[in-house]
Amino acid sequence: METARKTKLLRSGFTVLFAGLMCAGSFMSHPLPGGVPMTVQNMFAALSGLVLGGLQGAGAVGLFLVLGLAGIPIFSGMQGGLAVIQGHTGGYLIGYFVGAFVGGLILGSPLKKEKKNTAFLVRAVVAVFLAYALQYAVGIPWFSACMEAQGQPKSFSQILDVAFLPFIVVDSIKLLISFMLTLLLRPVVARYLYPDDEKEAEEILRKLERRRQSGLAGH
């Protein structure tokens, strides 16, 4: 029972870790003339689902969104609060959640015995693509609706010019990086979060405790 409780706490820790990466991403954004900033937060959001699985990955993004809605300036450009979600970029934030959930749902929770065969690699490609595509599938219509509500309606081509086309090259690179990181990190995460048996789980927890104590001793 104690081992199971600690394993659950470890899973919660990974959820908080990925939420923290998204928060840290607020420092790495670049405003663009169209109003939609260039950011790495969308990559961390996608990786949350791809690496942790659908529910846990969506939980990490959900935690990030809740903290931002509470007013903590962790959204792109060091912003926070409900006004950001209601604004023209709010759809992308909601898309982070949708993309992480669907991408993670396709791959499932990471497993130690996960085989990197052709079927898995095809699923991974589809999952990574959808994790990003769904961000735009929600973000672009939201952006368009906000522009229209503000009395500044734009044609579909104009919307694409500011809300999609400027990001194709950079997000294609991030998509490739996400694919490689997904293959690299899932076995690592599986080893800590989904050990094969209780004995292995206890050994992992003992190693983590020894590392923690060594770190404290070093200070």
Side-chain angles (χ1 to χ4, degrees), residues 190-209:
R191 179 170 175 267
Y192 287 100
L193 301 190
Y194 300 98
D196 292 333
D197 52 44
E198 187 170 337
K199 183 178 179 180
E200 184 180 6
E202 290 176 352
E203 179 61 28
I204 290 171
L205 291 170
R206 281 196 294 268
K207 287 181 179 179
L208 290 174
E209 181 63 22

Side-chain angles (χ1 to χ4, degrees), residues 107-216:
L107 284 182
S109 298
L111 299 173
K112 285 183 62 180
K113 297 179 181 179
E114 207 165 59
K115 295 181 179 180
K116 301 300 188 294
N117 53 25
T118 302
F120 177 83
L121 293 176
V122 170
R123 278 171 49 218
V125 169
V126 172
V128 174
F129 176 79
L130 287 178
Y132 281 88
L134 288 170
Q135 295 175 3
Y136 288 101
V138 180
I140 291 175
W142 189 289
F143 182 91
S144 179
C146 285
M147 291 292 99
E148 188 169 347
Q150 294 172 7
Q152 302 174 359
K154 296 181 181 294
S155 67
F156 183 66
S157 61
Q158 289 175 320
I159 291 292
L160 292 182
D161 283 341
V162 297
F164 177 64
L165 295 180
F167 308 99
I168 290 180
V169 174
V170 173
D171 273 8
S172 295
I173 295 172
K174 285 188 283 190
L175 191 150
L176 180 59
I177 293 173
S178 296
F179 177 76
M180 292 187 293
L181 286 177
T182 296
L183 299 183
L184 178 66
L185 294 178
R186 280 177 66 88
V188 178
V189 172
R191 179 170 175 267
Y192 287 100
L193 301 190
Y194 300 98
D196 292 333
D197 52 44
E198 187 170 337
K199 183 178 179 180
E200 184 180 6
E202 290 176 352
E203 179 61 28
I204 290 171
L205 291 170
R206 281 196 294 268
K207 287 181 179 179
L208 290 174
E209 181 63 22
R210 285 196 297 268
R211 290 176 184 175
R212 186 184 70 84
Q213 292 177 351
S214 298
L216 291 175

Side-chain angles (χ1 to χ4, degrees), residues 11-95:
R11 290 174 187 170
S12 297
F14 270 83
T15 300
V16 172
L17 171 63
F18 275 84
L21 288 173
M22 283 176 270
C23 293
S26 63
F27 294 98
M28 296 173 278
S29 64
H30 180 70
L32 295 178
V36 181
M38 191 83 70
T39 178
V40 297
Q41 287 181 315
N42 67 325
M43 183 176 76
F44 292 140
L47 283 171
S48 295
L50 296 168
V51 174
L52 299 178
L55 290 177
Q56 192 174 352
V61 179
L63 176 59
F64 162 74
L65 293 177
V66 168
L67 293 174
L69 286 171
I72 301 175
I74 55 175
F75 294 148
S76 180
M78 301 296 292
Q79 301 180 80
L82 182 60
V84 180
I85 295 290
Q86 294 175 328
H88 58 279
T89 60
Y92 291 96
L93 293 171
I94 297 173

